[in-house]
Amino acid sequence: MTRPNHEEPEMAENDQQAEALIAALAPKIAEAILPQITESVETQIKGVVTKNDELLDKLAKQKADDNHSKLLAAAESQYQARLDGNGVYQGRKPGDSIKIKKSDARNVKAYRDAKALAEKQGVPLEIVANE
């Protein structure tokens, strides 16, 4: 059985009506869906921002801890370098001058002791201002 030719114009009319319906409904559908999409995207972005902040804070803390550990290690190394053979801390580095305050240098015994120590270690004696 063959179709009569009068059906083709009906299909063209149906297609036009469908396009008109779609054109009329598309803005309303978009208007109805857009708030849900916006909310979903904002929720996802907030999650990404929160995780990003968390990771950046963790990285900054790790860098601070690493710097703190390096500083502690350097301080410990310097401390150990100033210990003498008996494990007593020496406040000055080997080769530094012996320093005596001006007020202490007026004491003859203190001055002689400091001068003798400076000569024994082969370093200069330095008289410094009172603090």
PDB file of all heavy atoms in Angstrom, residues 15-53:
ATOM      1  N   ASP A  15       6.426  19.130  11.920  1.00  0.00           N
ATOM      2  CA  ASP A  15       7.789  19.570  12.230  1.00  0.00           C
ATOM      3  C   ASP A  15       7.792  21.040  12.624  1.00  0.00           C
ATOM      4  O   ASP A  15       8.468  21.438  13.579  1.00  0.00           O
ATOM      5  CB  ASP A  15       8.716  19.340  11.035  1.00  0.00           C
ATOM      6  CG  ASP A  15       9.031  17.868  10.818  1.00  0.00           C
ATOM      7  OD1 ASP A  15       8.764  17.070  11.750  1.00  0.00           O
ATOM      8  OD2 ASP A  15       9.556  17.528   9.736  1.00  0.00           O
ATOM      9  N   GLN A  16       7.029  21.841  11.930  1.00  0.00           N
ATOM     10  CA  GLN A  16       6.958  23.275  12.234  1.00  0.00           C
ATOM     11  C   GLN A  16       6.321  23.498  13.607  1.00  0.00           C
ATOM     12  O   GLN A  16       6.778  24.334  14.389  1.00  0.00           O
ATOM     13  CB  GLN A  16       6.159  24.012  11.161  1.00  0.00           C
ATOM     14  CG  GLN A  16       6.889  24.137   9.850  1.00  0.00           C
ATOM     15  CD  GLN A  16       6.002  24.757   8.763  1.00  0.00           C
ATOM     16  OE1 GLN A  16       4.792  24.913   8.949  1.00  0.00           O
ATOM     17  NE2 GLN A  16       6.628  25.089   7.638  1.00  0.00           N
ATOM     18  N   GLN A  17       5.298  22.726  13.894  1.00  0.00           N
ATOM     19  CA  GLN A  17       4.642  22.855  15.194  1.00  0.00           C
ATOM     20  C   GLN A  17       5.582  22.405  16.320  1.00  0.00           C
ATOM     21  O   GLN A  17       5.633  23.022  17.384  1.00  0.00           O
ATOM     22  CB  GLN A  17       3.346  22.045  15.225  1.00  0.00           C
ATOM     23  CG  GLN A  17       2.239  22.652  14.404  1.00  0.00           C
ATOM     24  CD  GLN A  17       0.978  21.790  14.399  1.00  0.00           C
ATOM     25  OE1 GLN A  17       0.990  20.649  14.855  1.00  0.00           O
ATOM     26  NE2 GLN A  17      -0.102  22.345  13.865  1.00  0.00           N
ATOM     27  N   ALA A  18       6.346  21.334  16.065  1.00  0.00           N
ATOM     28  CA  ALA A  18       7.300  20.840  17.065  1.00  0.00           C
ATOM     29  C   ALA A  18       8.385  21.886  17.308  1.00  0.00           C
ATOM     30  O   ALA A  18       8.762  22.159  18.458  1.00  0.00           O
ATOM     31  CB  ALA A  18       7.909  19.526  16.610  1.00  0.00           C
ATOM     32  N   GLU A  19       8.897  22.476  16.249  1.00  0.00           N
ATOM     33  CA  GLU A  19       9.924  23.519  16.392  1.00  0.00           C
ATOM     34  C   GLU A  19       9.372  24.720  17.149  1.00  0.00           C
ATOM     35  O   GLU A  19      10.046  25.305  17.993  1.00  0.00           O
ATOM     36  CB  GLU A  19      10.433  23.938  15.020  1.00  0.00           C
ATOM     37  CG  GLU A  19      11.337  22.911  14.373  1.00  0.00           C
ATOM     38  CD  GLU A  19      11.788  23.315  12.970  1.00  0.00           C
ATOM     39  OE1 GLU A  19      11.616  24.485  12.593  1.00  0.00           O
ATOM     40  OE2 GLU A  19      12.313  22.448  12.269  1.00  0.00           O
ATOM     41  N   ALA A  20       8.129  25.087  16.845  1.00  0.00           N
ATOM     42  CA  ALA A  20       7.508  26.207  17.541  1.00  0.00           C
ATOM     43  C   ALA A  20       7.320  25.886  19.023  1.00  0.00           C
ATOM     44  O   ALA A  20       7.547  26.735  19.892  1.00  0.00           O
ATOM     45  CB  ALA A  20       6.170  26.551  16.886  1.00  0.00           C
ATOM     46  N   LEU A  21       6.933  24.641  19.311  1.00  0.00           N
ATOM     47  CA  LEU A  21       6.757  24.222  20.699  1.00  0.00           C
ATOM     48  C   LEU A  21       8.099  24.250  21.448  1.00  0.00           C
ATOM     49  O   LEU A  21       8.181  24.749  22.570  1.00  0.00           O
ATOM     50  CB  LEU A  21       6.140  22.815  20.752  1.00  0.00           C
ATOM     51  CG  LEU A  21       5.870  22.255  22.137  1.00  0.00           C
ATOM     52  CD1 LEU A  21       4.867  23.132  22.891  1.00  0.00           C
ATOM     53  CD2 LEU A  21       5.373  20.828  22.063  1.00  0.00           C
ATOM     54  N   ILE A  22       9.121  23.737  20.793  1.00  0.00           N
ATOM     55  CA  ILE A  22      10.456  23.733  21.400  1.00  0.00           C
ATOM     56  C   ILE A  22      10.920  25.163  21.626  1.00  0.00           C
ATOM     57  O   ILE A  22      11.449  25.497  22.689  1.00  0.00           O
ATOM     58  CB  ILE A  22      11.454  22.949  20.519  1.00  0.00           C
ATOM     59  CG1 ILE A  22      11.115  21.462  20.568  1.00  0.00           C
ATOM     60  CG2 ILE A  22      12.880  23.191  20.969  1.00  0.00           C
ATOM     61  CD1 ILE A  22      11.890  20.615  19.578  1.00  0.00           C
ATOM     62  N   ALA A  23      10.735  26.015  20.641  1.00  0.00           N
ATOM     63  CA  ALA A  23      11.146  27.414  20.776  1.00  0.00           C
ATOM     64  C   ALA A  23      10.408  28.095  21.922  1.00  0.00           C
ATOM     65  O   ALA A  23      10.959  28.936  22.633  1.00  0.00           O
ATOM     66  CB  ALA A  23      10.906  28.158  19.464  1.00  0.00           C
ATOM     67  N   ALA A  24       9.151  27.745  22.122  1.00  0.00           N
ATOM     68  CA  ALA A  24       8.366  28.351  23.194  1.00  0.00           C
ATOM     69  C   ALA A  24       8.741  27.786  24.565  1.00  0.00           C
ATOM     70  O   ALA A  24       8.761  28.510  25.563  1.00  0.00           O
ATOM     71  CB  ALA A  24       6.873  28.127  22.927  1.00  0.00           C
ATOM     72  N   LEU A  25       9.068  26.490  24.612  1.00  0.00           N
ATOM     73  CA  LEU A  25       9.359  25.854  25.898  1.00  0.00           C
ATOM     74  C   LEU A  25      10.822  26.001  26.344  1.00  0.00           C
ATOM     75  O   LEU A  25      11.098  25.981  27.540  1.00  0.00           O
ATOM     76  CB  LEU A  25       9.004  24.367  25.836  1.00  0.00           C
ATOM     77  CG  LEU A  25       7.523  24.033  25.777  1.00  0.00           C
ATOM     78  CD1 LEU A  25       7.331  22.522  25.673  1.00  0.00           C
ATOM     79  CD2 LEU A  25       6.807  24.561  27.009  1.00  0.00           C
ATOM     80  N   ALA A  26      11.745  26.129  25.423  1.00  0.00           N
ATOM     81  CA  ALA A  26      13.172  26.162  25.762  1.00  0.00           C
ATOM     82  C   ALA A  26      13.506  27.235  26.798  1.00  0.00           C
ATOM     83  O   ALA A  26      14.186  26.947  27.791  1.00  0.00           O
ATOM     84  CB  ALA A  26      14.003  26.319  24.497  1.00  0.00           C
ATOM     85  N   PRO A  27      13.081  28.466  26.642  1.00  0.00           N
ATOM     86  CA  PRO A  27      13.397  29.470  27.662  1.00  0.00           C
ATOM     87  C   PRO A  27      12.805  29.131  29.024  1.00  0.00           C
ATOM     88  O   PRO A  27      13.438  29.352  30.049  1.00  0.00           O
ATOM     89  CB  PRO A  27      12.788  30.763  27.115  1.00  0.00           C
ATOM     90  CG  PRO A  27      12.592  30.537  25.656  1.00  0.00           C
ATOM     91  CD  PRO A  27      12.398  29.061  25.495  1.00  0.00           C
ATOM     92  N   LYS A  28      11.602  28.575  29.038  1.00  0.00           N
ATOM     93  CA  LYS A  28      10.961  28.231  30.313  1.00  0.00           C
ATOM     94  C   LYS A  28      11.699  27.073  30.991  1.00  0.00           C
ATOM     95  O   LYS A  28      11.861  27.069  32.207  1.00  0.00           O
ATOM     96  CB  LYS A  28       9.492  27.896  30.095  1.00  0.00           C
ATOM     97  CG  LYS A  28       8.694  29.109  29.660  1.00  0.00           C
ATOM     98  CD  LYS A  28       7.237  28.799  29.519  1.00  0.00           C
ATOM     99  CE  LYS A  28       6.560  30.028  28.954  1.00  0.00           C
ATOM    100  NZ  LYS A  28       5.347  30.385  29.544  1.00  0.00           N
ATOM    101  N   ILE A  29      12.146  26.099  30.205  1.00  0.00           N
ATOM    102  CA  ILE A  29      12.912  24.971  30.760  1.00  0.00           C
ATOM    103  C   ILE A  29      14.243  25.476  31.308  1.00  0.00           C
ATOM    104  O   ILE A  29      14.650  25.120  32.417  1.00  0.00           O
ATOM    105  CB  ILE A  29      13.113  23.875  29.695  1.00  0.00           C
ATOM    106  CG1 ILE A  29      11.767  23.221  29.350  1.00  0.00           C
ATOM    107  CG2 ILE A  29      14.113  22.835  30.168  1.00  0.00           C
ATOM    108  CD1 ILE A  29      11.821  22.268  28.173  1.00  0.00           C
ATOM    109  N   ALA A  30      14.905  26.319  30.521  1.00  0.00           N
ATOM    110  CA  ALA A  30      16.184  26.870  30.971  1.00  0.00           C
ATOM    111  C   ALA A  30      15.996  27.676  32.252  1.00  0.00           C
ATOM    112  O   ALA A  30      16.806  27.582  33.182  1.00  0.00           O
ATOM    113  CB  ALA A  30      16.791  27.735  29.875  1.00  0.00           C
ATOM    114  N   GLU A  31      14.938  28.470  32.307  1.00  0.00           N
ATOM    115  CA  GLU A  31      14.651  29.278  33.487  1.00  0.00           C
ATOM    116  C   GLU A  31      14.390  28.397  34.708  1.00  0.00           C
ATOM    117  O   GLU A  31      14.795  28.723  35.820  1.00  0.00           O
ATOM    118  CB  GLU A  31      13.424  30.150  33.200  1.00  0.00           C
ATOM    119  CG  GLU A  31      13.115  31.166  34.267  1.00  0.00           C
ATOM    120  CD  GLU A  31      11.909  32.013  33.887  1.00  0.00           C
ATOM    121  OE1 GLU A  31      11.859  32.498  32.746  1.00  0.00           O
ATOM    122  OE2 GLU A  31      11.019  32.176  34.747  1.00  0.00           O
ATOM    123  N   ALA A  32      13.747  27.263  34.516  1.00  0.00           N
ATOM    124  CA  ALA A  32      13.446  26.353  35.618  1.00  0.00           C
ATOM    125  C   ALA A  32      14.685  25.586  36.073  1.00  0.00           C
ATOM    126  O   ALA A  32      14.870  25.328  37.263  1.00  0.00           O
ATOM    127  CB  ALA A  32      12.347  25.377  35.200  1.00  0.00           C
ATOM    128  N   ILE A  33      15.563  25.219  35.151  1.00  0.00           N
ATOM    129  CA  ILE A  33      16.732  24.388  35.464  1.00  0.00           C
ATOM    130  C   ILE A  33      17.934  25.215  35.927  1.00  0.00           C
ATOM    131  O   ILE A  33      18.733  24.771  36.742  1.00  0.00           O
ATOM    132  CB  ILE A  33      17.114  23.525  34.247  1.00  0.00           C
ATOM    133  CG1 ILE A  33      16.001  22.514  33.967  1.00  0.00           C
ATOM    134  CG2 ILE A  33      18.422  22.808  34.449  1.00  0.00           C
ATOM    135  CD1 ILE A  33      16.223  21.696  32.718  1.00  0.00           C
ATOM    136  N   LEU A  34      18.063  26.425  35.429  1.00  0.00           N
ATOM    137  CA  LEU A  34      19.235  27.255  35.704  1.00  0.00           C
ATOM    138  C   LEU A  34      19.534  27.433  37.200  1.00  0.00           C
ATOM    139  O   LEU A  34      20.690  27.293  37.615  1.00  0.00           O
ATOM    140  CB  LEU A  34      19.087  28.608  35.009  1.00  0.00           C
ATOM    141  CG  LEU A  34      20.344  29.455  34.927  1.00  0.00           C
ATOM    142  CD1 LEU A  34      21.455  28.699  34.217  1.00  0.00           C
ATOM    143  CD2 LEU A  34      20.063  30.754  34.219  1.00  0.00           C
ATOM    144  N   PRO A  35      18.556  27.717  38.065  1.00  0.00           N
ATOM    145  CA  PRO A  35      18.873  27.850  39.500  1.00  0.00           C
ATOM    146  C   PRO A  35      19.451  26.566  40.093  1.00  0.00           C
ATOM    147  O   PRO A  35      20.361  26.620  40.921  1.00  0.00           O
ATOM    148  CB  PRO A  35      17.531  28.200  40.143  1.00  0.00           C
ATOM    149  CG  PRO A  35      16.717  28.782  39.048  1.00  0.00           C
ATOM    150  CD  PRO A  35      17.165  28.091  37.797  1.00  0.00           C
ATOM    151  N   GLN A  36      18.960  25.417  39.675  1.00  0.00           N
ATOM    152  CA  GLN A  36      19.486  24.150  40.186  1.00  0.00           C
ATOM    153  C   GLN A  36      20.924  23.942  39.724  1.00  0.00           C
ATOM    154  O   GLN A  36      21.769  23.499  40.496  1.00  0.00           O
ATOM    155  CB  GLN A  36      18.598  22.993  39.725  1.00  0.00           C
ATOM    156  CG  GLN A  36      17.205  23.027  40.311  1.00  0.00           C
ATOM    157  CD  GLN A  36      16.277  22.002  39.686  1.00  0.00           C
ATOM    158  OE1 GLN A  36      16.607  21.398  38.676  1.00  0.00           O
ATOM    159  NE2 GLN A  36      15.117  21.818  40.294  1.00  0.00           N
ATOM    160  N   ILE A  37      21.188  24.261  38.479  1.00  0.00           N
ATOM    161  CA  ILE A  37      22.549  24.110  37.947  1.00  0.00           C
ATOM    162  C   ILE A  37      23.483  25.073  38.664  1.00  0.00           C
ATOM    163  O   ILE A  37      24.585  24.690  39.080  1.00  0.00           O
ATOM    164  CB  ILE A  37      22.567  24.351  36.423  1.00  0.00           C
ATOM    165  CG1 ILE A  37      21.811  23.229  35.699  1.00  0.00           C
ATOM    166  CG2 ILE A  37      23.993  24.459  35.909  1.00  0.00           C
ATOM    167  CD1 ILE A  37      21.613  23.472  34.223  1.00  0.00           C
ATOM    168  N   THR A  38      23.033  26.308  38.848  1.00  0.00           N
ATOM    169  CA  THR A  38      23.845  27.315  39.537  1.00  0.00           C
ATOM    170  C   THR A  38      24.174  26.859  40.955  1.00  0.00           C
ATOM    171  O   THR A  38      25.321  26.945  41.396  1.00  0.00           O
ATOM    172  CB  THR A  38      23.102  28.662  39.573  1.00  0.00           C
ATOM    173  OG1 THR A  38      22.804  29.058  38.237  1.00  0.00           O
ATOM    174  CG2 THR A  38      23.926  29.734  40.245  1.00  0.00           C
ATOM    175  N   GLU A  39      23.180  26.368  41.665  1.00  0.00           N
ATOM    176  CA  GLU A  39      23.393  25.895  43.041  1.00  0.00           C
ATOM    177  C   GLU A  39      24.383  24.735  43.067  1.00  0.00           C
ATOM    178  O   GLU A  39      25.274  24.681  43.910  1.00  0.00           O
ATOM    179  CB  GLU A  39      22.056  25.477  43.646  1.00  0.00           C
ATOM    180  CG  GLU A  39      22.163  25.037  45.092  1.00  0.00           C
ATOM    181  CD  GLU A  39      20.817  24.617  45.669  1.00  0.00           C
ATOM    182  OE1 GLU A  39      19.778  25.057  45.145  1.00  0.00           O
ATOM    183  OE2 GLU A  39      20.830  23.835  46.625  1.00  0.00           O
ATOM    184  N   SER A  40      24.243  23.815  42.138  1.00  0.00           N
ATOM    185  CA  SER A  40      25.135  22.660  42.074  1.00  0.00           C
ATOM    186  C   SER A  40      26.572  23.102  41.799  1.00  0.00           C
ATOM    187  O   SER A  40      27.511  22.632  42.441  1.00  0.00           O
ATOM    188  CB  SER A  40      24.661  21.698  40.988  1.00  0.00           C
ATOM    189  OG  SER A  40      25.567  20.643  40.826  1.00  0.00           O
ATOM    190  N   VAL A  41      26.738  24.011  40.855  1.00  0.00           N
ATOM    191  CA  VAL A  41      28.085  24.504  40.516  1.00  0.00           C
ATOM    192  C   VAL A  41      28.690  25.250  41.702  1.00  0.00           C
ATOM    193  O   VAL A  41      29.865  25.058  42.040  1.00  0.00           O
ATOM    194  CB  VAL A  41      28.035  25.397  39.256  1.00  0.00           C
ATOM    195  CG1 VAL A  41      29.341  26.141  39.052  1.00  0.00           C
ATOM    196  CG2 VAL A  41      27.712  24.558  38.028  1.00  0.00           C
ATOM    197  N   GLU A  42      27.900  26.101  42.360  1.00  0.00           N
ATOM    198  CA  GLU A  42      28.407  26.841  43.521  1.00  0.00           C
ATOM    199  C   GLU A  42      28.819  25.899  44.648  1.00  0.00           C
ATOM    200  O   GLU A  42      29.835  26.111  45.301  1.00  0.00           O
ATOM    201  CB  GLU A  42      27.359  27.840  44.011  1.00  0.00           C
ATOM    202  CG  GLU A  42      27.209  29.040  43.102  1.00  0.00           C
ATOM    203  CD  GLU A  42      26.118  30.001  43.552  1.00  0.00           C
ATOM    204  OE1 GLU A  42      25.416  29.705  44.546  1.00  0.00           O
ATOM    205  OE2 GLU A  42      25.968  31.041  42.888  1.00  0.00           O
ATOM    206  N   THR A  43      28.054  24.851  44.879  1.00  0.00           N
ATOM    207  CA  THR A  43      28.396  23.861  45.902  1.00  0.00           C
ATOM    208  C   THR A  43      29.717  23.180  45.557  1.00  0.00           C
ATOM    209  O   THR A  43      30.588  23.013  46.417  1.00  0.00           O
ATOM    210  CB  THR A  43      27.271  22.812  46.033  1.00  0.00           C
ATOM    211  OG1 THR A  43      26.061  23.478  46.377  1.00  0.00           O
ATOM    212  CG2 THR A  43      27.604  21.782  47.097  1.00  0.00           C
ATOM    213  N   GLN A  44      29.881  22.807  44.308  1.00  0.00           N
ATOM    214  CA  GLN A  44      31.123  22.152  43.885  1.00  0.00           C
ATOM    215  C   GLN A  44      32.306  23.107  44.007  1.00  0.00           C
ATOM    216  O   GLN A  44      33.386  22.716  44.468  1.00  0.00           O
ATOM    217  CB  GLN A  44      30.995  21.645  42.450  1.00  0.00           C
ATOM    218  CG  GLN A  44      30.042  20.478  42.312  1.00  0.00           C
ATOM    219  CD  GLN A  44      29.816  20.070  40.861  1.00  0.00           C
ATOM    220  OE1 GLN A  44      30.384  20.637  39.951  1.00  0.00           O
ATOM    221  NE2 GLN A  44      28.950  19.074  40.666  1.00  0.00           N
ATOM    222  N   ILE A  45      32.112  24.363  43.622  1.00  0.00           N
ATOM    223  CA  ILE A  45      33.195  25.343  43.707  1.00  0.00           C
ATOM    224  C   ILE A  45      33.580  25.581  45.164  1.00  0.00           C
ATOM    225  O   ILE A  45      34.764  25.669  45.490  1.00  0.00           O
ATOM    226  CB  ILE A  45      32.798  26.653  43.002  1.00  0.00           C
ATOM    227  CG1 ILE A  45      32.798  26.428  41.490  1.00  0.00           C
ATOM    228  CG2 ILE A  45      33.747  27.786  43.360  1.00  0.00           C
ATOM    229  CD1 ILE A  45      32.293  27.598  40.686  1.00  0.00           C
ATOM    230  N   LYS A  46      32.570  25.681  46.049  1.00  0.00           N
ATOM    231  CA  LYS A  46      32.871  25.869  47.475  1.00  0.00           C
ATOM    232  C   LYS A  46      33.702  24.704  48.002  1.00  0.00           C
ATOM    233  O   LYS A  46      34.630  24.892  48.783  1.00  0.00           O
ATOM    234  CB  LYS A  46      31.588  26.017  48.286  1.00  0.00           C
ATOM    235  CG  LYS A  46      30.925  27.366  48.142  1.00  0.00           C
ATOM    236  CD  LYS A  46      29.646  27.434  48.952  1.00  0.00           C
ATOM    237  CE  LYS A  46      28.906  28.731  48.678  1.00  0.00           C
ATOM    238  NZ  LYS A  46      27.621  28.783  49.367  1.00  0.00           N
ATOM    239  N   GLY A  47      33.370  23.499  47.581  1.00  0.00           N
ATOM    240  CA  GLY A  47      34.141  22.329  47.997  1.00  0.00           C
ATOM    241  C   GLY A  47      35.574  22.394  47.501  1.00  0.00           C
ATOM    242  O   GLY A  47      36.515  22.087  48.240  1.00  0.00           O
ATOM    243  N   VAL A  48      35.755  22.818  46.272  1.00  0.00           N
ATOM    244  CA  VAL A  48      37.106  22.939  45.700  1.00  0.00           C
ATOM    245  C   VAL A  48      37.895  24.021  46.435  1.00  0.00           C
ATOM    246  O   VAL A  48      39.070  23.837  46.772  1.00  0.00           O
ATOM    247  CB  VAL A  48      37.026  23.236  44.181  1.00  0.00           C
ATOM    248  CG1 VAL A  48      38.378  23.625  43.629  1.00  0.00           C
ATOM    249  CG2 VAL A  48      36.487  22.039  43.428  1.00  0.00           C
ATOM    250  N   VAL A  49      37.255  25.149  46.699  1.00  0.00           N
ATOM    251  CA  VAL A  49      37.922  26.247  47.404  1.00  0.00           C
ATOM    252  C   VAL A  49      38.318  25.805  48.815  1.00  0.00           C
ATOM    253  O   VAL A  49      39.434  26.073  49.267  1.00  0.00           O
ATOM    254  CB  VAL A  49      37.015  27.495  47.450  1.00  0.00           C
ATOM    255  CG1 VAL A  49      37.541  28.534  48.419  1.00  0.00           C
ATOM    256  CG2 VAL A  49      36.871  28.097  46.063  1.00  0.00           C
ATOM    257  N   THR A  50      37.421  25.123  49.504  1.00  0.00           N
ATOM    258  CA  THR A  50      37.715  24.644  50.856  1.00  0.00           C
ATOM    259  C   THR A  50      38.898  23.680  50.851  1.00  0.00           C
ATOM    260  O   THR A  50      39.812  23.800  51.668  1.00  0.00           O
ATOM    261  CB  THR A  50      36.474  23.951  51.458  1.00  0.00           C
ATOM    262  OG1 THR A  50      35.397  24.877  51.473  1.00  0.00           O
ATOM    263  CG2 THR A  50      36.742  23.446  52.857  1.00  0.00           C
ATOM    264  N   LYS A  51      38.890  22.741  49.930  1.00  0.00           N
ATOM    265  CA  LYS A  51      39.989  21.774  49.845  1.00  0.00           C
ATOM    266  C   LYS A  51      41.286  22.478  49.461  1.00  0.00           C
ATOM    267  O   LYS A  51      42.350  22.164  49.999  1.00  0.00           O
ATOM    268  CB  LYS A  51      39.637  20.689  48.808  1.00  0.00           C
ATOM    269  CG  LYS A  51      40.624  19.553  48.777  1.00  0.00           C
ATOM    270  CD  LYS A  51      40.616  18.798  50.089  1.00  0.00           C
ATOM    271  CE  LYS A  51      41.497  17.572  50.004  1.00  0.00           C
ATOM    272  NZ  LYS A  51      41.555  16.841  51.261  1.00  0.00           N
ATOM    273  N   ASN A  52      41.215  23.446  48.548  1.00  0.00           N
ATOM    274  CA  ASN A  52      42.394  24.202  48.144  1.00  0.00           C
ATOM    275  C   ASN A  52      42.984  24.951  49.341  1.00  0.00           C
ATOM    276  O   ASN A  52      44.196  24.917  49.564  1.00  0.00           O
ATOM    277  CB  ASN A  52      42.013  25.183  47.027  1.00  0.00           C
ATOM    278  CG  ASN A  52      43.204  25.889  46.433  1.00  0.00           C
ATOM    279  OD1 ASN A  52      44.236  25.287  46.217  1.00  0.00           O
ATOM    280  ND2 ASN A  52      43.043  27.166  46.166  1.00  0.00           N
ATOM    281  N   ASP A  53      42.133  25.629  50.118  1.00  0.00           N
ATOM    282  CA  ASP A  53      42.605  26.336  51.310  1.00  0.00           C
ATOM    283  C   ASP A  53      43.243  25.370  52.307  1.00  0.00           C
ATOM    284  O   ASP A  53      44.284  25.667  52.897  1.00  0.00           O
ATOM    285  CB  ASP A  53      41.454  27.090  51.984  1.00  0.00           C
ATOM    286  CG  ASP A  53      40.996  28.292  51.184  1.00  0.00           C
ATOM    287  OD1 ASP A  53      41.728  28.722  50.268  1.00  0.00           O
ATOM    288  OD2 ASP A  53      39.893  28.800  51.473  1.00  0.00           O
TER     289      ASP A  53
END
